[in-house]
Amino acid sequence: MATDHPDVSTRTSDALRASQLYYLQDLTMEAIAHELGTSRSSVSRLLSHARETGLVDIRVRSPREMPNILERQILESFGVSAHVVPVPDHTSDVDRLERVALSAARMLGEYIDSNTTLGVAWGATVSAVSRHLVPRSVHDTQIVQLNGAGNLTSTGIVYASEILRRFGEAFNAQVQQFPVPAFFDDPLTKQALWRERSMQRVLALQEHLDVALFGVGSPFAEVPSHVYSSNFLDSDDLASLQEERVVGDVATVFYRADGSTDGIRLNERGSGPAFDVLRRTPRRICVVSGAARLASIRGAIAARLITDLFVDEGTARLLVASHSDRARLIATRE
């Protein structure tokens, strides 16, 4: 028996029609199948296609639900626009990450338009986001790698380029790679390379981003940050981070609980953008999950790196509670 294979434009047209009938006119799948002259299962597949390709954007809003309350509290406490993802408390950190990454990926298209330059910091979280991106038709958009990915055992090009490729394909964008080590052995080598015109071109793009997307690294999480688990740092490096009271990193730039970076020796060798460069980006999207990253989130907020935060509900509760505890402590001291 022959099987029909409609072309992409026909499938998209049918998906759009089915979506309009289902979501805007409240027709049942049976009624839509009758109108389109197809089966109920075909209508179901068309609706799934519409959601997966971004023709349909479904949101659930309720002023009574805890995520909405937490979002308001995070905005009031930290000045950060939060998107709290409902996740059961018993969920593993692996599944928690996937659910937050999926939510961030589905909404990322709202921040990407034609002529947008998006900076991407590679890592386990951003990699998860890249696997769930919804295609968006824009033009003259650029994806810029924010930090190098090479280490002692790999150039990192395959890992980083795969992440960037997914973003480039989703937004039909030009990809600008940054083929340098994550950390240089000698700060002078970094300084010399940064003077090269080929590097200055990428650094100039980083200076003029419209949107930056990143996770926050933490050495304490159940799902370890890629930079702490894949031969980027040796034992001396880890010891120096502990000595300098580092709580996390953004794009392989390390910071303390108060957001400060001064005196952290490893940053002199790191390839990520300085925080004053990152702060000039109008929209800075942080995607993070898991209670183990609470100190990292607070440090990144203190460093004024985050404008938009995608976070799971449990971690959001801890973030709000930590602010309340700090406020009570200050009030007691006064």
Side-chain angles (χ1 to χ4, degrees):
M1 180 183 293
T3 304
D4 292 332
H5 295 284
D7 61 27
V8 173
S9 60
T10 300
R11 182 171 176 76
T12 299
S13 177
D14 288 345
L16 179 60
R17 178 64 177 158
S19 299
Q20 290 170 331
L21 294 173
Y22 186 75
Y23 293 108
L24 300 182
Q25 299 183 30
D26 291 332
L27 266 66
T28 64
M29 289 194 187
E30 224 169 281
I32 296 170
H34 179 73
E35 182 162 330
L36 297 182
T38 188
S39 66
R40 190 179 185 281
S41 60
S42 294
V43 172
S44 179
R45 287 192 293 270
L46 288 172
L47 294 175
S48 295
H49 176 72
R51 291 192 298 269
E52 291 166 0
T53 57
L55 288 174
V56 171
D57 180 14
I58 300 174
R59 301 186 195 181
V60 179
R61 300 183 185 274
S62 171
R64 298 181 180 179
E65 291 186 357
M66 181 54 69
N68 301 84
I69 296 171
L70 290 170
E71 288 171 0
R72 186 178 69 249
Q73 290 173 329
I74 291 172
L75 180 60
E76 292 171 351
S77 300
F78 301 102
V80 170
S81 296
H83 306 271
V84 176
V85 181
V87 180
D89 288 340
H90 62 266
T91 305
S92 71
D93 275 11
V94 174
D95 290 338
R96 190 180 302 271
L97 168 62
E98 282 297 313
R99 290 176 69 159
V100 174
L102 174 60
S103 295
R106 292 284 169 86
M107 289 188 64
L108 186 61
E110 294 188 9
Y111 309 114
I112 309 300
D113 210 336
S114 296
N115 304 300
T116 295
T117 301
L118 168 66
V120 173
W122 56 261
T125 300
V126 174
S127 178
V129 172
S130 73
R131 293 193 295 269
H132 300 293
L133 292 169
V134 177
R136 177 171 166 78
S137 181
V138 294
H139 58 81
D140 295 330
T141 293
Q142 295 190 84
I143 311 297
V144 181
Q145 184 178 340
L146 290 183
N147 51 325
N151 60 30
L152 294 174
T153 60
S154 169
T155 63
I157 291 175
V158 173
Y159 173 74
S161 64
E162 178 64 16
I163 295 172
L164 294 166
R165 179 190 64 77
R166 293 174 188 146
F167 280 93
E169 290 182 353
F171 301 114
N172 191 31
Q174 181 180 1
V175 171
Q176 300 289 342
Q177 293 188 335
F178 198 31
V180 299
F183 301 99
F184 291 85
D185 290 333
D186 188 336
L188 294 177
T189 306
K190 170 186 170 180
Q191 293 169 21
L193 188 58
W194 263 218
R195 290 194 293 269
E196 293 291 324
R197 284 179 293 177
S198 60
M199 291 296 103
Q200 287 185 355
R201 181 180 61 82
V202 181
L203 294 171
L205 288 171
Q206 293 178 1
E207 291 260 7
H208 298 91
L209 300 174
D210 299 298
V211 182
L213 176 70
F214 52 87
V216 293
S218 169
F220 315 114
E222 180 182 325
V223 181
S225 303
H226 199 71
V227 71
Y228 299 101
S229 63
S230 301
N231 298 308
F232 288 95
L233 305 172
D234 60 27
S235 57
D236 289 338
D237 293 331
L238 293 171
S240 73
L241 293 178
Q242 185 173 11
E243 177 187 333
E244 290 156 356
R245 306 187 311 283
V246 165
V247 298
D249 77 279
V250 166
T252 58
V253 177
F254 299 94
Y255 54 86
R256 302 182 184 87
D258 62 359
S260 64
T261 60
D262 56 294
I264 298 177
R265 288 163 289 176
L266 199 52
N267 286 343
E268 297 176 5
R269 296 162 38 209
S271 59
F275 286 173
D276 60 342
V277 171
L278 201 54
R279 290 186 197 106
R280 289 197 288 271
T281 302
R283 190 175 295 275
R284 305 179 295 278
I285 303 170
C286 176
V287 184
V288 63
S289 65
R293 284 185 165 83
L294 180 61
S296 305
I297 300 169
R298 287 187 58 89
I301 291 174
R304 295 183 290 112
L305 298 179
I306 303 173
T307 61
D308 296 80
L309 176 67
F310 285 84
V311 64
D312 63 281
E313 185 177 342
T315 306
R317 284 199 305 267
L318 292 174
L319 181 61
V320 169
S322 71
H323 179 78
S324 300
D325 291 343
R326 178 177 173 79
R328 280 195 295 270
L329 180 61
I330 292 173
T332 301
R333 288 177 177 175
E334 293 176 349

mmCIF file of all heavy atoms in Angstrom, residues 15-40:
data_model
loop_
_atom_site.group_PDB
_atom_site.id
_atom_site.type_symbol
_atom_site.label_atom_id
_atom_site.label_comp_id
_atom_site.label_asym_id
_atom_site.label_seq_id
_atom_site.Cartn_x
_atom_site.Cartn_y
_atom_site.Cartn_z
ATOM 1 N N ALA A 15 -1.249 21.853 9.611
ATOM 2 C CA ALA A 15 -1.053 21.994 11.056
ATOM 3 C C ALA A 15 -1.601 23.325 11.542
ATOM 4 O O ALA A 15 -2.226 23.402 12.612
ATOM 5 C CB ALA A 15 0.429 21.864 11.402
ATOM 6 N N LEU A 16 -1.383 24.362 10.759
ATOM 7 C CA LEU A 16 -1.888 25.684 11.127
ATOM 8 C C LEU A 16 -3.415 25.695 11.122
ATOM 9 O O LEU A 16 -4.052 26.214 12.051
ATOM 10 C CB LEU A 16 -1.353 26.740 10.150
ATOM 11 C CG LEU A 16 -1.809 28.175 10.396
ATOM 12 C CD1 LEU A 16 -1.380 28.654 11.781
ATOM 13 C CD2 LEU A 16 -1.236 29.096 9.318
ATOM 14 N N ARG A 17 -4.013 25.087 10.102
ATOM 15 C CA ARG A 17 -5.468 25.028 10.008
ATOM 16 C C ARG A 17 -6.053 24.240 11.177
ATOM 17 O O ARG A 17 -7.021 24.672 11.817
ATOM 18 C CB ARG A 17 -5.861 24.372 8.674
ATOM 19 C CG ARG A 17 -7.362 24.206 8.453
ATOM 20 C CD ARG A 17 -8.068 25.524 8.384
ATOM 21 N NE ARG A 17 -9.489 25.362 8.113
ATOM 22 C CZ ARG A 17 -10.408 26.259 8.403
ATOM 23 N NH1 ARG A 17 -10.058 27.401 8.990
ATOM 24 N NH2 ARG A 17 -11.671 26.045 8.115
ATOM 25 N N ALA A 18 -5.445 23.081 11.471
ATOM 26 C CA ALA A 18 -5.922 22.255 12.574
ATOM 27 C C ALA A 18 -5.797 22.993 13.900
ATOM 28 O O ALA A 18 -6.698 22.920 14.752
ATOM 29 C CB ALA A 18 -5.133 20.947 12.627
ATOM 30 N N SER A 19 -4.735 23.737 14.081
ATOM 31 C CA SER A 19 -4.519 24.486 15.321
ATOM 32 C C SER A 19 -5.550 25.589 15.493
ATOM 33 O O SER A 19 -6.065 25.822 16.602
ATOM 34 C CB SER A 19 -3.110 25.088 15.337
ATOM 35 O OG SER A 19 -2.136 24.080 15.277
ATOM 36 N N GLN A 20 -5.852 26.279 14.405
ATOM 37 C CA GLN A 20 -6.861 27.338 14.477
ATOM 38 C C GLN A 20 -8.225 26.771 14.862
ATOM 39 O O GLN A 20 -8.948 27.360 15.683
ATOM 40 C CB GLN A 20 -6.934 28.066 13.133
ATOM 41 C CG GLN A 20 -5.710 28.916 12.838
ATOM 42 C CD GLN A 20 -5.692 29.436 11.416
ATOM 43 O OE1 GLN A 20 -6.235 28.801 10.500
ATOM 44 N NE2 GLN A 20 -5.071 30.580 11.213
ATOM 45 N N LEU A 21 -8.567 25.633 14.282
ATOM 46 C CA LEU A 21 -9.864 25.015 14.583
ATOM 47 C C LEU A 21 -9.907 24.493 16.020
ATOM 48 O O LEU A 21 -10.940 24.594 16.695
ATOM 49 C CB LEU A 21 -10.126 23.862 13.607
ATOM 50 C CG LEU A 21 -10.309 24.257 12.134
ATOM 51 C CD1 LEU A 21 -10.388 23.013 11.261
ATOM 52 C CD2 LEU A 21 -11.569 25.110 11.951
ATOM 53 N N TYR A 22 -8.787 23.951 16.482
ATOM 54 C CA TYR A 22 -8.764 23.322 17.807
ATOM 55 C C TYR A 22 -8.643 24.355 18.934
ATOM 56 O O TYR A 22 -9.397 24.317 19.913
ATOM 57 C CB TYR A 22 -7.601 22.334 17.874
ATOM 58 C CG TYR A 22 -7.562 21.508 19.145
ATOM 59 C CD1 TYR A 22 -8.459 20.456 19.341
ATOM 60 C CD2 TYR A 22 -6.622 21.766 20.141
ATOM 61 C CE1 TYR A 22 -8.427 19.692 20.499
ATOM 62 C CE2 TYR A 22 -6.577 21.008 21.303
ATOM 63 C CZ TYR A 22 -7.482 19.973 21.474
ATOM 64 O OH TYR A 22 -7.459 19.225 22.620
ATOM 65 N N TYR A 23 -7.695 25.285 18.787
ATOM 66 C CA TYR A 23 -7.409 26.224 19.879
ATOM 67 C C TYR A 23 -8.240 27.500 19.846
ATOM 68 O O TYR A 23 -8.522 28.099 20.878
ATOM 69 C CB TYR A 23 -5.921 26.596 19.868
ATOM 70 C CG TYR A 23 -5.009 25.449 20.204
ATOM 71 C CD1 TYR A 23 -4.220 24.860 19.224
ATOM 72 C CD2 TYR A 23 -4.944 24.937 21.496
ATOM 73 C CE1 TYR A 23 -3.380 23.790 19.515
ATOM 74 C CE2 TYR A 23 -4.100 23.866 21.804
ATOM 75 C CZ TYR A 23 -3.320 23.302 20.810
ATOM 76 O OH TYR A 23 -2.495 22.248 21.114
ATOM 77 N N LEU A 24 -8.626 27.927 18.637
ATOM 78 C CA LEU A 24 -9.349 29.193 18.528
ATOM 79 C C LEU A 24 -10.858 29.008 18.366
ATOM 80 O O LEU A 24 -11.642 29.878 18.742
ATOM 81 C CB LEU A 24 -8.807 30.016 17.349
ATOM 82 C CG LEU A 24 -7.316 30.378 17.429
ATOM 83 C CD1 LEU A 24 -6.919 31.232 16.229
ATOM 84 C CD2 LEU A 24 -6.998 31.120 18.728
ATOM 85 N N GLN A 25 -11.258 27.854 17.771
ATOM 86 C CA GLN A 25 -12.687 27.641 17.544
ATOM 87 C C GLN A 25 -13.265 26.513 18.401
ATOM 88 O O GLN A 25 -14.458 26.201 18.295
ATOM 89 C CB GLN A 25 -12.931 27.348 16.058
ATOM 90 C CG GLN A 25 -12.509 28.506 15.152
ATOM 91 C CD GLN A 25 -12.827 28.245 13.697
ATOM 92 O OE1 GLN A 25 -13.796 27.539 13.376
ATOM 93 N NE2 GLN A 25 -12.019 28.790 12.799
ATOM 94 N N ASP A 26 -12.432 25.889 19.220
ATOM 95 C CA ASP A 26 -12.863 24.865 20.175
ATOM 96 C C ASP A 26 -13.527 23.658 19.514
ATOM 97 O O ASP A 26 -14.402 23.014 20.107
ATOM 98 C CB ASP A 26 -13.825 25.471 21.217
ATOM 99 C CG ASP A 26 -13.130 26.442 22.152
ATOM 100 O OD1 ASP A 26 -11.907 26.270 22.367
ATOM 101 O OD2 ASP A 26 -13.788 27.354 22.654
ATOM 102 N N LEU A 27 -13.151 23.339 18.313
ATOM 103 C CA LEU A 27 -13.679 22.146 17.665
ATOM 104 C C LEU A 27 -13.004 20.902 18.252
ATOM 105 O O LEU A 27 -11.848 20.961 18.669
ATOM 106 C CB LEU A 27 -13.434 22.186 16.155
ATOM 107 C CG LEU A 27 -14.587 22.767 15.298
ATOM 108 C CD1 LEU A 27 -14.783 24.243 15.593
ATOM 109 C CD2 LEU A 27 -14.263 22.554 13.813
ATOM 110 N N THR A 28 -13.708 19.797 18.296
ATOM 111 C CA THR A 28 -13.110 18.551 18.751
ATOM 112 C C THR A 28 -12.210 17.990 17.646
ATOM 113 O O THR A 28 -12.329 18.372 16.469
ATOM 114 C CB THR A 28 -14.194 17.511 19.070
ATOM 115 O OG1 THR A 28 -14.900 17.189 17.857
ATOM 116 C CG2 THR A 28 -15.168 18.049 20.115
ATOM 117 N N MET A 29 -11.329 17.064 18.019
ATOM 118 C CA MET A 29 -10.458 16.441 17.024
ATOM 119 C C MET A 29 -11.278 15.689 15.977
ATOM 120 O O MET A 29 -10.910 15.632 14.801
ATOM 121 C CB MET A 29 -9.464 15.498 17.703
ATOM 122 C CG MET A 29 -8.381 16.194 18.496
ATOM 123 S SD MET A 29 -7.042 15.073 18.917
ATOM 124 C CE MET A 29 -6.068 16.130 20.008
ATOM 125 N N GLU A 30 -12.402 15.101 16.426
ATOM 126 C CA GLU A 30 -13.265 14.384 15.485
ATOM 127 C C GLU A 30 -13.859 15.334 14.447
ATOM 128 O O GLU A 30 -13.897 15.043 13.244
ATOM 129 C CB GLU A 30 -14.392 13.696 16.257
ATOM 130 C CG GLU A 30 -14.646 12.271 15.786
ATOM 131 C CD GLU A 30 -15.573 11.518 16.716
ATOM 132 O OE1 GLU A 30 -15.088 11.064 17.772
ATOM 133 O OE2 GLU A 30 -16.751 11.440 16.364
ATOM 134 N N ALA A 31 -14.313 16.498 14.923
ATOM 135 C CA ALA A 31 -14.897 17.491 14.014
ATOM 136 C C ALA A 31 -13.836 18.026 13.049
ATOM 137 O O ALA A 31 -14.116 18.258 11.863
ATOM 138 C CB ALA A 31 -15.508 18.632 14.817
ATOM 139 N N ILE A 32 -12.618 18.234 13.556
ATOM 140 C CA ILE A 32 -11.544 18.735 12.696
ATOM 141 C C ILE A 32 -11.180 17.689 11.650
ATOM 142 O O ILE A 32 -10.972 18.016 10.477
ATOM 143 C CB ILE A 32 -10.306 19.099 13.556
ATOM 144 C CG1 ILE A 32 -10.632 20.241 14.518
ATOM 145 C CG2 ILE A 32 -9.126 19.487 12.665
ATOM 146 C CD1 ILE A 32 -9.561 20.499 15.557
ATOM 147 N N ALA A 33 -11.129 16.428 12.068
ATOM 148 C CA ALA A 33 -10.817 15.357 11.125
ATOM 149 C C ALA A 33 -11.847 15.304 10.004
ATOM 150 O O ALA A 33 -11.499 15.128 8.821
ATOM 151 C CB ALA A 33 -10.770 14.020 11.870
ATOM 152 N N HIS A 34 -13.122 15.480 10.363
ATOM 153 C CA HIS A 34 -14.184 15.474 9.356
ATOM 154 C C HIS A 34 -14.010 16.653 8.406
ATOM 155 O O HIS A 34 -14.145 16.499 7.182
ATOM 156 C CB HIS A 34 -15.544 15.547 10.046
ATOM 157 C CG HIS A 34 -16.692 15.580 9.091
ATOM 158 N ND1 HIS A 34 -17.098 14.476 8.371
ATOM 159 C CD2 HIS A 34 -17.515 16.615 8.725
ATOM 160 C CE1 HIS A 34 -18.115 14.822 7.589
ATOM 161 N NE2 HIS A 34 -18.395 16.103 7.798
ATOM 162 N N GLU A 35 -13.679 17.852 8.960
ATOM 163 C CA GLU A 35 -13.541 19.051 8.118
ATOM 164 C C GLU A 35 -12.339 18.941 7.191
ATOM 165 O O GLU A 35 -12.401 19.386 6.030
ATOM 166 C CB GLU A 35 -13.415 20.293 8.995
ATOM 167 C CG GLU A 35 -13.310 21.582 8.185
ATOM 168 C CD GLU A 35 -13.626 22.819 9.001
ATOM 169 O OE1 GLU A 35 -14.435 22.729 9.946
ATOM 170 O OE2 GLU A 35 -13.073 23.875 8.680
ATOM 171 N N LEU A 36 -11.251 18.349 7.688
ATOM 172 C CA LEU A 36 -10.038 18.257 6.877
ATOM 173 C C LEU A 36 -10.003 16.996 6.017
ATOM 174 O O LEU A 36 -9.090 16.826 5.207
ATOM 175 C CB LEU A 36 -8.794 18.282 7.781
ATOM 176 C CG LEU A 36 -8.554 19.549 8.605
ATOM 177 C CD1 LEU A 36 -7.258 19.432 9.397
ATOM 178 C CD2 LEU A 36 -8.503 20.778 7.701
ATOM 179 N N GLY A 37 -10.981 16.118 6.239
ATOM 180 C CA GLY A 37 -11.020 14.897 5.458
ATOM 181 C C GLY A 37 -9.888 13.946 5.796
ATOM 182 O O GLY A 37 -9.293 13.320 4.913
ATOM 183 N N THR A 38 -9.599 13.834 7.073
ATOM 184 C CA THR A 38 -8.503 12.968 7.512
ATOM 185 C C THR A 38 -8.923 12.224 8.771
ATOM 186 O O THR A 38 -10.090 12.287 9.172
ATOM 187 C CB THR A 38 -7.225 13.808 7.760
ATOM 188 O OG1 THR A 38 -6.140 12.929 8.010
ATOM 189 C CG2 THR A 38 -7.407 14.766 8.928
ATOM 190 N N SER A 39 -8.004 11.535 9.409
ATOM 191 C CA SER A 39 -8.334 10.766 10.607
ATOM 192 C C SER A 39 -8.053 11.569 11.878
ATOM 193 O O SER A 39 -7.316 12.552 11.854
ATOM 194 C CB SER A 39 -7.510 9.476 10.645
ATOM 195 O OG SER A 39 -6.140 9.783 10.812
ATOM 196 N N ARG A 40 -8.621 11.110 12.986
ATOM 197 C CA ARG A 40 -8.400 11.767 14.280
ATOM 198 C C ARG A 40 -6.929 11.689 14.688
ATOM 199 O O ARG A 40 -6.379 12.645 15.220
ATOM 200 C CB ARG A 40 -9.273 11.098 15.346
ATOM 201 C CG ARG A 40 -9.318 11.831 16.676
ATOM 202 C CD ARG A 40 -10.220 11.100 17.662
ATOM 203 N NE ARG A 40 -10.377 11.836 18.906
ATOM 204 C CZ ARG A 40 -9.475 11.853 19.874
ATOM 205 N NH1 ARG A 40 -8.354 11.152 19.741
ATOM 206 N NH2 ARG A 40 -9.689 12.546 20.986
#
